[in-house]
Amino acid sequence: MLTASQRLQAFANPTRFMALSGRLVAPLGVLTAVVMAAGLYFALFASPPDYQQGETVRIMYIHVPSAWLSLFVYSVMAVSSGVALVFRHPIADVCAKAAAPIGAAFTFLALVTGSLWGEPMWGTWWVWDARLTSVLILFFIYLGYMALRATIDDPHAATRPAAVLALVGFVNVPIIHYSVNWWNTLHQPASVFRMDGPTVASSMLVPLMTLAIGFTLFFFVMLLVRMRAEVLRRRVRAMSLRRAEG
């Protein structure tokens, strides 16, 4: 029977990954487009304005999925970094590197849409409360991770320091999640994933969850595309080095 390490190594072959991902990108892309179109229709046309926030509530349909994905993508990046660090899994390292810019983009979108929502609701574009500040720190961690990888030409040499940074930075993820419970903040507490059930009306919950699924599918499509590009980039680099040595 194969051990866990042997199972991981079985999927470490870049050729096998390229073949599998090549078959997945197109259908996942079509599914993403369909789900996103449905989510945008529900969010913009089928859902009612909020009785307090009015039409401003529609920003939530972009802000909340972006905020969820900012944490989810970093979690994927941290897990991949751990696998790459412990098992020396090349595809895991590729995954971590490919995920970082996507996560940074979602985090930036969450910050921008949060500011757009906060100005009419709170009367200010920004407040230094626990949730907003910790998300801003997450954005800087993403940037720091990408900067570290960009400064090291050899992708194999970059694996260990980048993985350590990703794992250390993961400490911020639970801080973001529980910040509204640990400190007094202007940011509202969890209203969807609660032990006693969602507090959001179904007319708003449907477009919110549909777009959350659409954003998640979009992430996986972009992740596969970026991973494939990184595998090809490393192959080209290896060929160039062999030619230089020969």
Side-chain angles (χ1 to χ4, degrees):
M1 181 174 292
L2 294 176
T3 64
S5 177
Q6 290 172 328
R7 290 193 187 97
L8 284 172
Q9 290 301 324
F11 292 98
N13 188 324
T15 302
R16 186 175 300 162
F17 166 76
M18 293 295 283
L20 177 61
S21 61
R23 294 194 295 267
L24 291 176
V25 169
L28 273 178
V30 173
L31 179 61
T32 300
V34 171
V35 175
M36 289 288 285
L40 289 172
Y41 170 77
F42 288 133
L44 297 177
F45 303 107
S47 64
D50 184 70
Y51 75 100
Q52 287 182 322
Q53 303 178 36
E55 299 293 345
T56 308
V57 73
R58 302 189 193 283
I59 300 175
M60 171 188 71
Y61 300 128
I62 302 298
H63 172 70
V64 174
S66 299
W68 286 345
L69 265 294
S70 69
L71 300 181
F72 176 72
V73 175
Y74 197 91
S75 299
V76 170
M77 196 171 80
V79 171
S80 299
S81 296
V83 172
L85 188 63
V86 174
F87 298 102
R88 302 183 183 278
H89 196 302
I91 294 301
D93 181 53
V94 169
C95 178
K97 182 180 180 180
I102 309 173
F106 278 123
T107 308
F108 180 75
L109 184 59
L111 290 169
V112 170
T113 53
S115 295
L116 292 174
W117 180 88
E119 200 281 330
M121 293 299 104
W122 298 339
T124 181
W125 297 100
W126 183 266
V127 291
W128 291 97
D129 78 347
R131 172 60 64 84
L132 299 182
T133 304
S134 55
V135 172
L136 180 62
I137 292 172
L138 178 66
F139 180 62
F140 289 144
I141 293 173
Y142 273 120
L143 296 183
Y145 177 91
M146 290 187 290
L148 175 61
R149 301 217 65 141
T151 58
I152 304 175
D153 292 333
D154 186 352
H156 301 294
T159 297
R160 183 177 181 83
V164 171
L165 175 59
L167 292 172
V168 171
F170 185 74
V171 174
N172 193 42
V173 171
I175 292 176
I176 295 172
H177 181 72
Y178 292 107
S179 58
V180 292
N181 299 323
W182 292 345
W183 296 285
N184 291 323
T185 73
L186 288 176
H187 200 283
Q188 70 181 58
S191 55
V192 177
F193 298 108
R194 295 165 52 98
M195 295 296 293
D196 55 350
T199 59
V200 181
S202 59
S203 59
M204 297 180 179
L205 186 61
V206 170
L208 180 62
M209 295 307 298
T210 304
L211 280 174
I213 294 171
F215 273 47
T216 304
L217 289 171
F218 177 74
F219 160 64
F220 281 115
V221 171
M222 292 303 300
L223 180 65
L224 289 177
V225 170
R226 287 187 55 81
M227 287 178 68
R228 288 174 59 82
E230 180 62 22
V231 169
L232 294 175
R233 188 179 299 113
R234 294 188 182 192
R235 285 179 175 177
V236 170
R237 183 179 184 277
M239 292 172 60
S240 300
L241 289 175
R242 283 196 296 267
R243 287 178 182 175
E245 293 172 355

